[in-house]
């Protein structure tokens, strides 16, 4: 029997360049899993094993690995920080019990940190915070703590204070034990001494320690009472309070250090063991029946219950497809037959492996609380539930965002065409935010993704991993359409052929809906002029039509349609007749309702040195950007703006030119907004040219 209280399933997540992968490397070194640490900037990191990751020095796929610390087993997932790959963070958080949020000591809370933090809040994952890179120029632990409070609206519980800053950073003071951990300059994480608090820090330590204990004892009435009477609770009680508050998401224990210089990582590992929940302490996943209704049952982490497992990631490698799976309850053995509730088919478990980045160890079975990879599953995709065929149930599935950018690709020769089809179908299975479709009119293959870098890397993988050379078209923006006027209208569909004919009459109102409401349909018909069984047909007719607008064929957003009245014929009316009537009504009325083109607006966050701020802002204004704020940091200025995606292509090149290579930026989708008339005209004209 495995002791589940000794398990920790954790993810490490943060903004690009905050040092997640380096932190993971240090953890693996300290726990004895690897003997030599690889550096990201040398392309040697253990968890970055794709060529594309090594070259760019960024993490693209979440890598899974496991290790031991103080008799506890940790399953760690190192997630990507780049905005185009947030989907990887989202689906990893879904199956984790706890997380370590890494923030850069000089960059602080960056836009991507906000997105990841929001995902973690939605998934209700307990976290500890590690403020990294305190040896960097401009690092300031206290400023980052302030930002966590103000920007993320989170509650950091400061557990350690840094000794020295920037190049003089030598260690940390543990507030609870009032002991200083000081590392020497050898860079060996094991070479540290535990000393007394430096004399010039005693006041600060006492002040922060008092804050820490005050926050912690709020979790326990008895301890609180004693504390108010002037009696400090013992360390065990304080530990128990901190653990309780962390799991309840009341606060986030906050540590600091420099992973690159090997300082401060041990305390983070201790905190993972001491304060993050084990699989049995997390609110269990709700189970749904095969129709999608909640059963009131939960997938409680327990080996003796029926099998419930969630496939959260598919990865293709030279041995075939690996399906990363989190087992919530029950036991999974090699050779078992399990039911995939999404497809309704059974699958046989070929091999079970424990992953360490890209090397693996074979297992005979895996139990509740484990994260393992399964080999040999045929039809299982991200978000599917595997369960006991005799006692089926589904875990809540994952929802993925829609892509905002697309490009056309074409194979360079006939031989590549077939290979491209196979390669792309593998890539879609691995990444649910990557979509592919064929343009029916031109026969082109269109790939869609979350940003320029996302698609850039997909084309690179096609070339290198699958050996398919393709020509790439210019990026296309995912425009949308909407309407601006309310309109009342009526449509009658009549068709008389031999035998029974077709008849349907509908009176309806079409009006602009609330922002982000998508498509709403309501029927206010009374007295049976349109029988109730035909309402869904009318709704379906309109809903299908929404997929292509009347201006340039882009999907229509935020429209409300109300069916007011109509007419029917006892013999000739049918669901098909009403569906046809709704489609024709759409074509008749939408052009009268003031149709308007919408474009995706991106939240852009630019970091620039002081002397180039004017150029950067001027350039963003030329790109129709709206400047939202400017913040001066230690090493430069952060400019936040909203700008249309269509103007942001190739921005990284221009930004580097303007800032002599020192500028950085990130952007993510924010919302859709109306296009200016001149832009809309150009887009509509281009679509018409393309469709000739």
């Amino acid at each position: 029997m495995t002791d589940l209280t000794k398990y920790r399933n954790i993810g490490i997540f943060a903004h690009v360049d905050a040092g997640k992968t380096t932190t993971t490397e240090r953890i693996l070194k300290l726990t004895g899993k690897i003997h030599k640490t690889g550096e990201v900037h040398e392309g040697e990191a253990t968890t970055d094993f794709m060529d594309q990751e090594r070259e760019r020095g960024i993490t693209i796929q979440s890598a899974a690995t496991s290790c031991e610390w103080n008799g506890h087993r940790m399953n760690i997932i190192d997630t990507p920080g780049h905005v185009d790959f947030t989907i990887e963070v989202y689906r990893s958080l879904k199956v984790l019990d706890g997380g370590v949020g890494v923030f850069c000591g000089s960059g602080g809370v960056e836009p991507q940190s906000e997105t990841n933090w929001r995902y973690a809040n939605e998934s209700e994952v307990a976290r500890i915070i590690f403020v990294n890179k305190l040896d960097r120029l401009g690092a300031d632990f206290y400023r980052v703590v302030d930002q966590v409070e103000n920007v993320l609206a989170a509650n950091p519980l400061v557990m350690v204070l840094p000794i020295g800053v920037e190049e003089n950073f030598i260690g940390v003071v543990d507030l609870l034990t009032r002991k200083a951990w000081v590392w020497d300059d050898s860079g060996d994480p094991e070479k540290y001494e535990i000393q007394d608090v430096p004399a010039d820090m005693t006041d600060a330590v006492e002040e922060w320690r008092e804050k820490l204990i005050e926050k912690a004892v709020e979790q326990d009435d008895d301890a609180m009472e004693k504390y108010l009477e002037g009696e400090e609770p013992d360390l065990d009680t304080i530990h128990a309070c901190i653990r309780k508050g962390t799991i309840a998401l009341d606060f986030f224990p906050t540590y600091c250090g420099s992973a690159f210089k090997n300082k401060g990582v041990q305390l983070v590992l201790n905190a993972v063991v001491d304060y993050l929940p084990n699989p049995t302490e997390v609110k269990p996943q709700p189970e749904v029946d095969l129709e999608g209704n909640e059963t009131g049952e939960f997938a409680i982490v327990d080996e003796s219950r029926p099998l419930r497992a969630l496939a959260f990631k598919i990865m293709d490698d030279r041995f075939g497809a690996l399906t990363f799976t989190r087992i919530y309850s029950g036991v999974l053995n090699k050779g078992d037959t399990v039911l995939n509730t999404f497809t309704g088919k059974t699958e046989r478990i070929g091999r079970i492996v424990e992953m360490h980045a890209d090397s693996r160890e074979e297992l005979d079975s895996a139990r509740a609380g484990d994260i393992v990879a399964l080999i040999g599953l045929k039809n299982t995709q991200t978000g599917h539930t595997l369960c006991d065929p005799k006692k089926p149930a589904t875990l809540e599935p994952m929802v993925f965002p829609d892509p905002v950018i697309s490009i056309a690709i074409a194979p360079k020769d006939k031989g590549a065409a077939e290979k491209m089809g196979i390669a792309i179908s593998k890539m879609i299975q691995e990444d649910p935010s990557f979509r592919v479709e064929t343009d029916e009119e031109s026969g082109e293959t269109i790939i869609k993704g979350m940003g320029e870098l996302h698609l850039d890397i997909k084309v690179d993988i096609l070339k290198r991993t699958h050996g398919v050379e393709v020509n790439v078209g210019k990026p296309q923006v995912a425009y949308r359409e909407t309407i601006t006027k309310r309109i009342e209208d009526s449509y009658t569909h009549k068709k008389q052929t031999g035998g029974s004919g077709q008849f349907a009459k509908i009176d309806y109102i079409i009006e602009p809906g609330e922002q982000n409401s998508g498509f709403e349909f309501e029927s206010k018909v009374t007295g049976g002029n349109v029988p109730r069984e035909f309402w869904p047909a009318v709704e379906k007719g309109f809903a299908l039509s929404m997929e292509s607008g009347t201006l340039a064929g882009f999907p229509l957003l935020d429209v409300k349609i109300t069916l007011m009245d109509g007419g029917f014929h006892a013999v000739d009316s049918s669901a098909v007749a009403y569906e046809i009537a709704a489609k024709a009504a759409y074509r008749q009325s939408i052009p009268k309702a003031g149709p308007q083109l919408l474009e995706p607006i991106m939240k852009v966050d630019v970091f620039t040195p002081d002397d180039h701020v004017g150029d950067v802002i001027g350039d963003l204004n030329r790109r129709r950007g709206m400047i939202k704020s400017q913040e001066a940091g230690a090493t430069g200025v952060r400019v936040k703006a909203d700008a249309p995606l269509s103007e942001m292509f190739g921005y990284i090149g221009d930004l580097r030119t303007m800032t002599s290579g020192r500028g950085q930026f990130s952007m993510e989708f924010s919302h859709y907004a109306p296009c200016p008339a001149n832009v809309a005209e150009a887009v509509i004209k281009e679509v018409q040219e393309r469709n000739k």
Side-chain angles (χ1 to χ4, degrees):
M1 202 60 188
T2 22
D3 181 0
L4 286 173
T5 58
K6 297 272 194 278
Y7 267 54
R8 297 288 181 275
N9 288 323
I10 60 167
I12 296 188
F13 58 93
H15 187 82
V16 176
D17 262 2
K20 293 177 302 303
T21 304
T22 308
T23 306
T24 311
E25 283 288 310
R26 297 306 181 256
I27 289 175
L28 296 178
K29 172 86 168 66
L30 275 169
T31 54
K33 196 68 184 184
I34 51 177
H35 301 298
K36 171 186 177 296
T37 38
E39 299 307 343
V40 175
H41 53 266
E42 291 163 10
E44 300 267 304
T46 315
T47 50
D48 283 356
F49 50 83
M50 287 168 64
D51 293 344
Q52 291 81 359
E53 294 179 310
R54 292 196 162 148
E55 274 174 31
R56 295 168 201 248
I58 59 172
T59 305
I60 296 169
Q61 291 184 329
S62 315
T65 180
S66 48
C67 55
E68 300 256 328
W69 181 256
N70 286 356
H72 288 64
R73 175 196 162 107
M74 292 186 197
N75 291 321
I76 301 177
I77 294 187
D78 172 29
T79 62
H82 199 285
V83 59
D84 288 3
F85 309 106
T86 39
I87 187 84
E88 288 276 349
V89 181
Y90 168 73
R91 60 181 178 183
S92 303
L93 281 169
K94 197 87 181 125
V95 296
L96 295 168
D97 304 326
V100 179
V102 181
F103 295 98
C104 170
S106 61
V109 174
E110 296 171 273
Q112 201 49 46
S113 337
E114 292 174 48
T115 309
N116 291 342
W117 197 262
R118 197 174 66 237
Y119 279 157
N121 285 343
E122 284 168 13
S123 305
E124 297 184 5
V125 172
R127 280 147 281 172
I128 51 182
I129 292 172
F130 178 52
V131 179
N132 189 18
K133 301 197 175 184
L134 280 190
D135 55 324
R136 286 273 288 270
L137 195 67
D140 181 343
F141 175 66
Y142 302 99
R143 190 182 73 233
V144 180
V145 170
D146 270 354
Q147 286 181 339
V148 169
E149 279 180 355
N150 301 323
V151 180
L152 299 178
N155 194 351
L157 184 73
V158 176
M159 304 290 293
V160 300
L161 295 185
I163 306 172
V165 290
E166 298 179 357
E167 72 271 19
N168 301 322
F169 172 68
I170 54 166
V172 297
V173 175
D174 181 339
L175 292 176
L176 285 180
T177 56
R178 295 193 180 89
K179 289 287 179 220
W181 293 54
V182 178
W183 279 263
D184 66 16
D185 282 337
S186 66
D188 183 339
E190 310 282 344
K191 294 202 171 154
Y192 60 88
E193 283 180 16
I194 292 189
Q195 307 171 351
D196 291 332
V197 176
D200 58 348
M201 283 183 71
T202 45
D203 294 351
V205 166
E206 289 312 308
E207 179 196 331
W208 282 92
R209 188 171 191 273
E210 197 169 308
K211 280 191 206 169
L212 163 65
I213 293 172
E214 267 171 25
K215 257 190 212 174
V217 293
E218 285 173 7
Q219 300 289 329
D220 179 337
D221 296 345
D222 295 350
M224 179 116 173
E225 237 169 79
K226 282 185 185 162
Y227 183 69
L228 292 175
E229 286 162 12
E231 184 188 331
E232 182 180 299
D234 58 51
L235 282 183
D236 289 346
T237 308
I238 298 175
H239 274 304
C241 287
I242 297 174
R243 181 175 184 87
K244 186 179 165 197
T246 306
I247 292 174
L249 305 186
D250 290 340
F251 45 67
F252 305 96
T254 301
Y255 291 82
C256 65
S258 159
F260 181 55
K261 295 275 169 60
N262 279 316
K263 293 173 184 171
V265 181
Q266 281 97 328
L267 289 100
V268 176
L269 282 170
N270 292 341
V272 167
V273 167
D274 291 345
Y275 307 129
L276 286 183
N278 67 49
T280 61
E281 291 172 305
V282 178
K283 203 166 85 182
Q285 287 271 2
E287 291 182 7
V288 251
D289 62 20
L290 301 179
E291 272 72 60
N293 309 311
E294 292 213 358
T295 55
E297 286 282 318
F298 290 91
I300 294 166
V301 178
D302 179 353
E303 291 182 21
S304 57
R305 293 173 71 92
L307 174 72
R308 304 279 182 262
L310 183 72
F312 66 96
K313 178 179 165 61
I314 312 274
M315 212 169 87
D316 204 66
D317 75 355
R318 56 187 189 280
F319 303 108
L322 290 171
T323 309
F324 281 88
T325 307
R326 160 79 200 257
I327 300 174
Y328 284 99
S329 62
V331 178
L332 184 65
N333 298 307
K334 208 158 118 176
D336 276 0
T337 298
V338 295
L339 173 70
N340 176 336
T341 54
F342 186 84
T343 59
K345 298 195 171 94
T346 53
E347 296 249 23
R348 192 171 167 280
I349 305 296
R351 290 155 63 203
I352 305 176
V353 292
E354 181 185 299
M355 297 301 291
H356 172 53
D358 64 344
S359 62
R360 61 204 56 201
E361 289 160 39
E362 296 264 344
L363 303 172
D364 289 327
S365 68
R367 332 180 152 270
D370 276 340
I371 291 182
V372 290
L374 308 175
I375 301 180
L377 297 187
K378 300 278 183 295
N379 301 313
T380 300
Q381 296 199 350
T382 300
H384 289 184
T385 302
L386 301 174
C387 67
D388 182 335
K390 297 190 195 74
K391 297 192 179 131
T394 306
L395 300 168
E396 180 189 15
M398 306 187 192
V399 184
F400 298 114
D402 286 330
V404 290
I405 173 174
S406 59
I407 52 176
I409 57 169
K412 284 201 173 153
D413 52 49
K414 280 239 169 75
E418 205 170 297
K419 269 165 76 180
M420 183 173 92
I422 298 168
I424 282 182
S425 68
K426 281 185 179 171
M427 285 160 67
I428 296 174
Q429 279 193 325
E430 289 183 13
D431 180 354
S433 62
F434 174 62
R435 318 262 169 95
V436 176
E437 58 186 52
T438 308
D439 185 333
E440 283 163 18
E441 281 157 0
S442 64
E444 288 179 315
T445 302
I446 313 275
I447 57 175
K448 301 180 169 191
M450 305 310 292
E452 252 184 310
L453 179 72
H454 189 195
L455 294 183
D456 199 24
I457 285 182
K458 293 296 173 201
V459 170
D460 206 41
I461 292 176
L462 267 180
K463 257 185 210 156
R464 283 207 238 175
T465 314
H466 303 287
V468 180
E469 291 285 338
V470 291
N471 294 323
V472 179
K474 80 179 217 288
Q476 301 293 331
V477 177
Y479 289 99
R480 294 284 181 267
E481 296 180 25
T482 191
I483 55 168
T484 53
K485 294 192 191 114
R486 178 178 187 275
I487 181 166
E488 289 193 40
D489 214 341
S490 167
Y491 186 85
T492 307
H493 169 65
K494 269 204 286 229
K495 191 173 177 195
Q496 203 57 50
T497 48
S500 65
Q502 287 183 345
F503 177 84
K505 175 175 188 286
I506 51 174
D507 299 341
Y508 51 90
I509 295 173
I510 291 184
E511 58 193 319
E514 297 280 309
Q515 196 175 4
N516 296 332
S517 61
F519 165 59
E520 282 181 81
F521 177 82
E522 185 182 357
S523 172
K524 290 191 174 165
V525 178
T526 48
N529 286 348
V530 177
R532 185 177 284 271
E533 70 261 28
F534 296 139
W535 295 356
V538 178
E539 179 175 359
K540 184 181 169 196
F542 278 119
L544 288 172
S545 303
M546 303 296 269
E547 287 172 14
S548 75
T550 52
L551 276 176
F554 294 108
L556 210 64
L557 288 185
D558 305 341
V559 175
K560 182 174 182 193
I561 293 178
T562 312
L563 181 61
M564 299 306 285
D565 202 359
F568 89 110
H569 184 285
V571 177
D572 292 352
S573 288
S574 65
V576 172
Y578 279 101
E579 191 180 318
I580 293 171
K583 287 179 177 169
Y586 173 89
R587 288 195 295 276
Q588 165 185 298
S589 305
I590 294 289
K592 301 187 224 167
Q596 183 181 46
L597 202 63
L598 300 173
E599 60 182 352
I601 302 291
M602 308 300 277
K603 202 160 91 185
V604 184
D605 196 306
V606 186
F607 173 82
T608 162
D610 294 340
D611 38 357
H612 298 293
V613 178
D615 300 344
V616 167
I617 288 179
D619 179 67
L620 282 170
N621 285 332
R622 272 196 302 283
R623 295 172 187 268
R624 301 195 281 121
M626 291 271 300
I627 308 295
K628 285 287 176 66
S629 69
Q630 274 171 261
E631 277 171 46
T635 52
V637 177
R638 276 175 64 190
V639 179
K640 290 187 175 183
D642 282 352
L645 175 64
S646 58
E647 304 284 343
M648 295 301 292
F649 290 132
Y651 180 62
I652 188 69
D654 298 353
L655 177 67
R656 285 190 179 139
T657 313
M658 275 184 294
T659 57
S660 327
R662 285 154 58 213
Q664 285 174 331
F665 90 108
S666 72
M667 65 178 182
E668 61 181 311
F669 173 70
S670 168
H671 61 278
Y672 276 100
C675 267
N678 58 333
V679 176
E681 275 169 30
V683 171
I684 293 167
K685 195 172 156 202
E686 191 189 335
V687 169
Q688 287 164 347
E689 294 285 314
R690 245 203 341 257
N691 293 343
K692 268 184 185 167

